[in-house]
Amino acid sequence: MTLFANKVAFVTGASQGIGKATALILAKYGAYIVAVDISKEVERTAEEIKQLGRECISVITDVTNRERVESAVKTAIKQFDKLDILVNCAGIVSSSLLLDLPEELWDKTIDVNLKGVYLVSQAVSKEMVKRRTGKIVNISSQASKVGEIGNGAYCASKAGVNALTQVLALELAPYNINVNAVCPGYTDTEIMQKVFEIRGPIEQMTPADYEKDLLSQCAFEAYGQT
Ligand SMILES: NC(=O)c1ccc[n+]([C@@H]2O[C@H](COP(=O)([O-])OP(=O)(O)OC[C@H]3O[C@@H](n4cnc5c(N)ncnc54)[C@H](O)[C@@H]3O)[C@@H](O)[C@H]2O)c1
């Protein structure tokens, strides 16, 4: 339970879904958490983490806003002095065929999913560079690698995250900062409720053996659903 002892993790999108599960798991394994989200619900995540006996602060921040992102990082440094881990998890889906895709929806999706990763990574990695150490994990998507009907802006934003991850990995390696992306498949969170009404076909496409899969077990444990 001490894999991340004394590490400080800055997790965006921590109000719910994958971001919340990530924050809870990191805390469970010893990390101090900076839980960041545009939604006030992030305060609830912080409460749950404190109940695990770990230190946590919640910061309500829009990852598309440079000033607010920089202020969130300042708050984190003031509280914990350092940042060891960044998980860029905040994201939105946009569901529309290209022929109907409104420009505002394209802009918003690219802003949150791609510009958000750029802004948060830049602000956090400036702190990591000072200490010559850090780990950054960007939550991309399988959708970055295959085309999905009705998901043009989302697929493009996540492909951008992959490219940005590769560049950051190269640029930050000299400072001993590792940058990786994870590409989850369909995961049953709130975001998916907005897109898919039919679970059956998705479940058939998804290889899952919860008894053998360590991460799923951790997530289930974190949510108290073992
Ligand atoms: N659920 C899936 O099937 C799936 C699959 C692949 C990748 N992903 C990716 O995983 C990440 C998390 O997805 P999820 O399923 O947990 O979604 P979710 O909707 O449950 O959670 C997303 C979180 O991001 C926050 N957020 C949205 N806009 C924000 C902004 N501007 N600033 C700060 N926070 C903001 C939301 O408030 C929410 O708490 C996303 O990047 C998503 O694209 C999800």
Side-chain angles (χ1 to χ4, degrees):
M1 297 295 172
T2 55
L3 187 61
F4 299 114
N6 300 319
K7 301 290 181 198
V8 183
F10 190 101
V11 182
T12 73
S15 278
Q16 60 181 42
I18 296 171
K20 179 176 179 180
T22 303
L24 282 164
I25 289 166
L26 286 167
K28 187 175 168 184
Y29 285 86
Y32 305 122
I33 306 294
V34 183
V36 178
D37 203 288
I38 198 168
S39 156
K40 199 173 162 6
E41 284 295 300
V42 72
E43 288 167 3
R44 205 142 19 136
T45 303
E47 284 313 312
E48 286 182 40
I49 288 171
K50 284 177 195 161
Q51 279 165 23
L52 294 173
R54 303 285 183 223
E55 256 184 82
C56 177
I57 57 167
S58 57
V59 189
I60 298 168
T61 291
D62 180 349
V63 295
T64 69
N65 182 310
R66 176 183 292 280
E67 251 174 53
R68 294 190 63 186
V69 166
E70 288 176 352
S71 155
V73 171
K74 253 189 213 153
T75 305
I77 293 295
K78 198 170 164 199
Q79 178 75 18
F80 294 114
D81 278 339
K82 61 169 188 165
L83 288 170
D84 300 290
I85 300 165
L86 164 63
V87 183
N88 277 307
C89 196
I92 57 169
V93 280
S94 54
S95 191
S96 170
L97 294 170
L98 180 76
L99 292 181
D100 304 319
L101 179 61
E103 191 175 341
E104 305 76 53
L105 188 55
W106 168 272
D107 286 347
K108 184 156 192 228
T109 309
I110 301 293
D111 261 12
V112 177
N113 294 0
L114 182 53
K115 183 179 172 186
V117 173
Y118 145 63
L119 286 176
V120 178
S121 300
Q122 188 179 59
V124 171
S125 61
K126 278 181 185 166
E127 294 301 325
M128 291 175 168
V129 161
K130 288 181 196 164
R131 297 178 54 248
R132 298 286 192 275
T133 184
K135 309 275 182 204
I136 298 177
V137 180
N138 296 327
I139 307 301
S140 179
S141 169
Q142 283 293 325
S144 66
K145 299 196 277 187
V146 288
E148 285 181 358
I149 291 172
N151 250 347
Y154 183 79
C155 290
S157 70
K158 293 297 185 178
V161 168
N162 294 354
L164 182 61
T165 301
Q166 288 172 323
V167 173
L168 292 182
L170 292 169
E171 292 186 2
L172 296 176
Y175 303 100
N176 193 30
I177 299 168
N178 302 129
V179 189
N180 287 285
V182 177
C183 295
Y186 297 111
T187 311
D188 196 3
T189 64
E190 288 81 347
I191 211 172
M192 298 306 296
Q193 312 301 329
K194 293 174 198 153
V195 192
F196 296 102
E197 287 162 1
I198 306 165
R199 295 173 58 105
I202 294 173
E203 283 173 354
Q204 278 170 17
M205 286 161 60
T206 307
D209 183 340
Y210 293 123
E211 283 181 16
K212 289 191 188 140
D213 183 276
L214 179 64
L215 260 187
S216 302
Q217 273 182 29
C218 288
F220 274 36
E221 273 178 38
Y223 278 129
Q225 294 174 3
T226 44

